[in-house]
Amino acid sequence: MTGTAKRMVRAWLWKAALPLALPVLAALTLLIPLAVLAAAATPTALASSACSTAGTGATVAGIELDAVQMAHAQTIVTAGTARGLDSYAATVALATAWQESRLRMLANDGSSPELTPEQAAVTAASLTHPHDGLGSDHDSVNTFQQRWIAGWGTVAQLMDPVYAADAFYTRLVAVPNWESIPLTRAAQAVQVSAYGDAYARWEPLARQLTAMLWPAAQRAAAGPAGAVAGVCPALPVPAGAWTRPTTGQLTSGFGFRWGSQHAGVDFAGPRGTPVYAAAAGTVVSAACTSTYCDRDGSLDLKGYGNLVELDHGDGVATRYAHLSGYTVTPGQQVPAGALLGYQGATGNSTGVHLHFEVRVHGAPVDPVPWLADRGVDLPSTAG
């Protein structure tokens, strides 16, 4: 079949699937915060963050990795240490993820001709989750290109980087003698790929990445949930000035939302986007405020998740919520632009974003005009 013919068939199948896809996607959209939808709509722009939980981009084994790739690599390695696995497990996982996606969280538009219209609709739901790019291989999604039809999990689960890594390790440890067989055999036993020998090519990259990221992963496994080492540089902010707390687009404003008060504003951004102090102040609290913060939360979970609160004096305070991790401690004095933590989805949240509040004598005020009066344009997409 020619390339033109294939495109025509895919277009026809997608049109056939669209009536079925729209109700599914519409229902899902009602459950996803605006921050997530904006992140999914503009993955390229939002994925350009210069720093992440794994630090800035790096050259590893002669290959250049950007900050987003390094953040996914750190997530994979940290998931391995959390299970008590050794570094070889992380090396196998990293080589696999690089071969499958180049360490990108890939959504899938459901356009593969191998899918039925119903399967295409379910697969396309991955577009409503944060992602770094688009794929169309069967129903494969995420960094490992795992398939919901093959029983790896639901689409929503598979679009969670932590779940994806843990799912890989669950199948890896079930492989007989996985600790001693060659990397490419271990990876292929999990993936059952049509290109089973390809993983060996990336073993040097995976080994070096593991060596770089393993110490931080071990610290994360040993430390309290939410507390992480600071690896991003602070922003240069003049003394006495205010600044944006994070990069990305403002996607949800202050006021009533879904029948209740939204006491701040939300910023869309990829997981691991650094969060900075909007002004100089004292750290009042840096802690998990929900039942758990070692994984993403949900709308059924109460609290801010990992929360940092700063006291700026004169009754003014700011809050930074849903963080995947924080880098400060209570009582610490921080300048404007100091690194506080990283965007996540802990607490009462269904997607990665920063919830930012300004409070005056305990009462929340709209951060947009507040910061506008101080020379900061929050609605701007510029960081």
Side-chain angles (χ1 to χ4, degrees), residues 8 138 162 258 268 311:
M8 291 177 65
H138 293 79
V162 177
W258 304 331
D311 179 6

Side-chain angles (χ1 to χ4, degrees), residues 53 219-220 223-232 272-277 283-290 292-294 304-310 319-332 334 338-347 354:
T53 52
R219 289 195 298 271
V228 296
V231 293
C232 295
T273 300
V275 173
Y276 302 101
V283 179
V284 176
S285 64
C288 175
T289 62
S290 300
Y292 59 83
C293 291
D294 59 342
Y304 287 98
N306 282 321
L307 173 71
V308 171
E309 182 171 1
L310 301 183
R319 292 181 176 180
Y320 310 79
H322 307 311
L323 305 178
S324 63
Y326 47 84
T327 62
V328 292
T329 56
Q332 182 179 345
V334 295
L339 177 71
L340 301 179
Y342 305 97
Q343 284 193 32
T346 54
L354 169 68

Side-chain angles (χ1 to χ4, degrees), residues 62-158:
I63 299 174
E64 292 186 5
L65 281 72
D66 63 25
V68 173
Q69 291 168 305
M70 291 293 286
H72 287 310
Q74 184 70 76
T75 296
I76 290 169
V77 175
T78 301
T81 60
R83 290 183 65 120
L85 300 176
D86 62 23
S87 60
Y88 182 61
T91 299
V92 175
L94 289 174
T96 302
W98 184 263
Q99 168 63 23
E100 297 294 342
S101 70
R102 294 302 186 264
L103 282 170
R104 299 285 185 191
M105 177 56 67
L106 299 182
N108 189 325
D109 61 7
S111 63
S112 171
E114 287 80 8
L115 300 179
T116 66
E118 292 83 1
Q119 292 170 338
V122 175
T123 301
S126 61
L127 296 170
T128 65
H129 298 272
H131 55 281
D132 309 317
L134 191 63
S136 59
D137 179 20
H138 293 79
D139 55 313
S140 302
V141 297
N142 70 31
T143 48
F144 293 96
Q145 290 292 275
Q146 294 162 341
R147 302 180 59 186
W148 66 270
I149 293 176
W152 281 91
T154 67
V155 170
Q157 288 173 326
L158 296 179

Side-chain angles (χ1 to χ4, degrees), residues 179-224:
E179 304 100 321
S180 57
I181 62 178
L183 180 148
T184 195
R185 283 181 53 196
Q188 175 62 359
V190 175
Q191 299 292 109
V192 193
S193 169
Y195 307 97
D197 295 332
Y199 304 109
R201 177 183 178 187
W202 310 117
E203 185 166 356
L205 168 71
R207 287 191 179 279
Q208 289 191 32
L209 261 179
T210 301
M212 292 172 62
L213 304 177
W214 191 256
Q218 287 183 308
R219 289 195 298 271

